[in-house]
Amino acid sequence: MTDVLADAADGADAHCGSAGLTLAAAALGFFVLTLDTQVVTVAMPVIGTELNGGITSLQWVVSGYTLMLAALLLSAGSLSDRIGASRAFAVGLAAFTAASAACGVAPELGVLVAARFLQGAAGAVLLPASLALVRQAYPTAVARARAVAVWTSAGGAAMAAGPLVGGLLTTTLGWRAVFYVNLPIGLVGLLALIRSPRSLPRRAPFDLPGQLSATLALAAVTYAVIEGSVVATAVFCVAAAVFVIVERRSTQPMIPPRLVRLPAVAVPAATGLALNFAFYGAVFLLALYFEQVHGLSALETGLMFLPMTALITVVNLLAGRLGTRCGPRLPMALGQVVLLGGVCGLLALREDTPLVVQAAVLLPFGIGGGLAVPALTAVLLESVDAGRAGLAAGLLNAGRQFGGALGVALFGSLAAGGAVVAGLHMGAIVGAAVLVVTTTATVVLVRPRTTTDPSDTR
């Protein structure tokens, strides 16, 4: 009996140890993925100067990454299930680390943009696999909730520290260091994964025609916005039409049409896109505004963004409490209104605007985004059955990433020719208009806790 109890205790200890390593690997993967989006933005003006690139080239450095992340997230979860979460995570993290190294040694902007596309594709494989690993390692609800909180906090820490880390690395070691910093993190994550249990692959549908047409449509519309191409616009229209036809006819569609017709799914997805559109479009031009118009260093620019990103992490926690008391629709709408105030505040920025005013304009971005994103996620997840939660979350995250890519593309295009302040003002008007639409839709249309029919696949 003693031997049996000892063996059981050893097994429990081994499980706790392997679960802890799995969580560490997953959290590091999410951390490096989030950190990359922040550190690169701060380094953009320096990259443009050293590699002789204008705003258009810099747009592709940012949008190329988020575009691939958005397009491939639509079916990356299915890929993770098909080959096993641990294998998908290892492939994604290894590819992301290798692509980061390629970014760091890029001799010209064309090579850097290509490497960023690879980073985004790897990140799309990495992100859903990291959360699947947490689900696998912690089968009980209480332990899993704590593990997910750790996983989420890794992203929050990266979001808060990213601007400062990016500014510090760029100022002291050069812009290439913002990519090299991913290498040790990626290697540690892979080492932690070695002792984690292997995930078993399972049958999962993969909508290849839908994925290809979606990727082509998203890439074409982004290219059309950045380059002003009529041909790309036509390609987008054709690819989007093909995607709709494919999804309507497929027995296992990537995005079931009935799902996106539900207001409690469509409105949060559209709101996530709108929030990232306004947020990342503004942040892209604000980095140029701080460094090119006001002559701040990359480190000083990182410090300018720090209060905003720190607020996002803090307000995320407060949003959860507010949602528990009042329901998620209130913080979802309130967050959009606050962010709308920040977007309108961009109209006050001029070449001679004092730094204290510039810093104040950024605060509503952190508060509004911090309030709205957890709430819209809750609205969406409450409105679908458990079997559709992963699909709905993938749709939301893909929409958010594409919103960021489109925001950078449009805001940057409006500032073409070096008119950064004018671009900020025009971008603010467009971003405000989009947020007015989604805020109105939130108030009028969202009715949480209306679940889908779990038997409906179309």
Side-chain angles (χ1 to χ4, degrees), residues 15 31 154 176 263 315 324 368 412:
H15 171 73
F31 178 87
R176 297 180 188 276
V315 177
T324 301

Side-chain angles (χ1 to χ4, degrees), residues 43-441:
M44 280 294 97
V46 178
I47 293 174
T49 299
E50 294 193 9
L51 295 185
N52 299 315
I55 288 181
T56 298
S57 299
L58 297 181
Q59 285 171 277
W60 279 116
V61 173
V62 177
S63 294
Y65 173 82
T66 52
L67 173 63
M68 293 304 295
L69 191 58
L72 298 181
L73 268 175
L74 291 170
S75 54
S78 296
L79 177 64
S80 175
D81 290 338
R82 288 172 68 92
I83 68 174
S86 58
R87 181 177 295 176
F89 181 87
V91 170
L93 185 55
F96 187 88
T97 304
S100 298
C103 289
V105 299
E108 59 181 8
L109 272 169
V111 177
L112 178 58
V113 169
R116 289 287 284 168
F117 269 84
L118 293 176
Q119 263 193 316
V125 176
L126 173 62
L127 181 56
S130 68
L131 191 54
L133 280 178
V134 176
R135 173 66 179 83
Q136 169 188 298
Y138 295 88
T140 63
V142 174
R144 185 165 62 249
R146 293 173 181 169
V148 169
V150 173
W151 182 84
T152 304
S153 66
M159 172 69 76
L164 182 59
V165 171
L168 186 62
L169 290 173
T170 302
T171 302
T172 58
L173 300 176
W175 67 265
R176 297 180 188 276
V178 304
F179 297 108
Y180 290 145
V181 72
N182 296 337
L183 274 59
I185 301 174
L187 291 175
V188 171
L190 289 170
L191 288 174
L193 189 67
I194 290 176
R195 294 187 60 188
S196 300
R198 301 282 77 81
S199 307
L200 295 176
R202 67 179 181 84
R203 294 178 61 86
F206 187 80
D207 182 11
L208 182 59
Q211 176 63 78
L212 293 176
S213 56
T215 301
L216 181 59
L218 296 181
V221 71
T222 304
Y223 187 90
V225 172
I226 293 177
E227 305 289 348
S229 170
V230 176
V231 174
T233 303
V235 171
F236 161 70
C237 293
V238 172
V242 170
F243 177 77
V244 172
I245 294 171
V246 166
E247 294 302 284
R248 290 181 64 87
R249 294 182 176 180
S250 175
T251 57
Q252 295 289 343
M254 187 166 56
I255 302 177
R258 182 170 179 175
L259 185 68
V260 296
R261 287 197 293 266
L262 290 171
V265 173
V267 175
T271 300
L273 188 152
L275 290 172
N276 277 33
F277 172 83
F279 183 91
Y280 284 103
V283 166
F284 175 77
L285 282 191
L286 283 169
L288 298 176
Y289 173 77
F290 293 145
E291 296 186 36
Q292 294 182 357
V293 177
H294 285 273
L296 301 186
S297 68
L299 178 57
E300 290 168 331
T301 296
L303 289 171
M304 290 292 291
F305 284 126
L306 184 59
M308 176 191 72
T309 53
L311 269 174
I312 293 175
T313 305
V314 174
V315 177
N316 277 165
L317 301 175
L318 299 178
R321 296 180 182 179
L322 182 61
T324 301
R325 292 184 179 183
C326 307
R329 186 171 63 166
L330 175 61
M332 179 178 168
L334 181 60
Q336 291 177 79
V337 171
V338 174
L339 184 60
L340 176 61
V343 171
C344 292
L346 296 175
L347 297 171
L349 298 181
R350 300 287 188 275
E351 287 81 356
D352 57 350
T353 301
L355 285 178
V356 64
V357 176
Q358 299 173 38
V361 167
L362 286 171
L363 298 182
F365 283 86
I367 297 171
L371 276 173
V373 172
L376 66 88
T377 305
V379 168
L380 183 139
L381 292 180
E382 284 179 2
S383 304
V384 298
D385 60 86
R388 294 292 186 86
L391 175 62
L395 175 64
L396 173 62
N397 285 318
R400 291 184 61 200
Q401 293 298 331
F402 178 63
L406 197 60
V408 170
L410 183 61
F411 274 63
S413 297
L414 293 173
V420 175
V421 175
L424 270 174
H425 293 170
M426 289 187 286
I429 294 172
V430 176
V434 172
L435 286 170
V436 167
V437 172
T438 55
T439 303
T440 303

